[in-house]
Amino acid sequence: MHILVLGGAGQVGTELQAVSWPSGVTVHAPGRAELDIADADAVGSALDRRAYRAVINTAAYTAVDKAESDIVAAWRLNALAPAILAAATAARKIPLVHVSTDYVFAGTKPDRAYEPGEPIDPQSVYGASKAAGELAVRTGNPRHAIVRTAWVVSPHRANFVKTMLRLAAERDALTVVDDQHGCPTSAADLAEALAAIAQRLATDESAPTGTVHCVNAGDTTWCGFAEAIVAGSARRGGRSVPVKGIPTSAYPTPARRPANSRLSTASLTEAYGLRPRPWRAALDDILDRLVGPVSEGVSKP
């Protein structure tokens, strides 16, 4: 069974290549220089090289603030490319698993997690381009799974965990936004879910299709997440510094962020039987890899 992974150099793509796939499954992850997924001819040629049983698209333009001025590039990768992938995979009867984002929602819903079927209302160029990509996949290939996620972190590439560890080593205190709520997500856990969904679609014609949410269990704020990162690092011998919460208004950015990025994973469990673990457990695994194991005599919370 051949599986094509797009965006293989990113956090989730890297973890997809590390998944313990069943015997007989071969994952192919061409780099950006090898395959331009916004080029219809290139995509068609790539799909015709092997008898792919599923395609997993993790590639995206994720520079949220830069997208506000780099509109063409954001829409090319987040909207045009998924449209091309959907058409090309549908023509070859290949299921497509596509990763999307919490930014398709306005983020104004009070204190409850968003369900997949709720109305979307993106507030940024990034969110709008990802919403357009969802629509292209939804209408272009009937055998699809759109997997929305949020706050993805890992030991790879630039992300919030690595940034907080770096800043904690450089500064005497951290100030972090404390009025944006969401669900941290391990790229490794997301990759395991994507792999399971792709295999199900590849082997079961009656497998569920549609949109699901995949984030680790539990929620917090960016400030609460930063506090957990710093505390976890300190238990492993890292530097401990105070973390102070600030309002979003004190940290203006070009793109508007959702105040509520909570995503319900009930759809993921119902469709595929997958139940993500708590985000704190996932964070421990990441810190073990970035900082080291918990110092002797210090227990995990």
Side-chain angles (χ1 to χ4, degrees), residues 143-154:
R143 299 204 63 225
H144 71 267
I146 295 169
V147 183
R148 293 186 185 128
T149 192
W151 294 23
V152 177
V153 292
S154 73

Side-chain angles (χ1 to χ4, degrees), residues 109-114 181-183 213 219 259-264:
K109 184 176 180 177
D111 296 334
R112 283 194 304 113
Y114 282 93
H181 300 259
C183 309
H213 292 166
D219 64 81
N260 178 12
S261 285
R262 300 177 182 94
L263 300 178
S264 168

Side-chain angles (χ1 to χ4, degrees), residues 38-65:
D39 181 327
D41 290 337
V43 168
S45 296
L47 291 177
D48 288 338
R49 288 192 193 107
R50 297 180 181 89
Y52 286 110
R53 297 290 297 280
V55 173
I56 305 175
N57 181 35
T58 73
Y61 186 108
T62 57
V64 175
D65 288 324

Side-chain angles (χ1 to χ4, degrees), residues 88-180:
T89 51
R92 294 161 177 81
K93 301 188 184 308
I94 303 170
L96 174 62
V97 180
H98 176 71
V99 178
S100 192
T101 175
D102 56 301
Y103 275 71
V104 300
F105 295 112
T108 55
K109 184 176 180 177
D111 296 334
R112 283 194 304 113
Y114 282 93
E115 300 288 348
E118 295 191 59
I120 62 172
D121 184 16
Q123 301 293 301
S124 63
V125 169
Y126 168 69
S129 65
K130 290 295 288 182
E134 284 190 7
L135 180 60
V137 170
R138 197 172 289 120
T139 57
N141 186 337
R143 299 204 63 225
H144 71 267
I146 295 169
V147 183
R148 293 186 185 128
T149 192
W151 294 23
V152 177
V153 292
S154 73
H156 318 292
R157 304 293 296 267
N159 62 72
F160 188 75
V161 171
K162 295 178 75 174
T163 297
M164 290 302 103
L165 291 175
R166 174 177 58 80
L167 293 178
E170 298 172 353
R171 301 180 182 180
D172 294 329
L174 304 181
T175 55
V176 184
V177 168
D178 201 25
D179 57 0
Q180 294 175 23

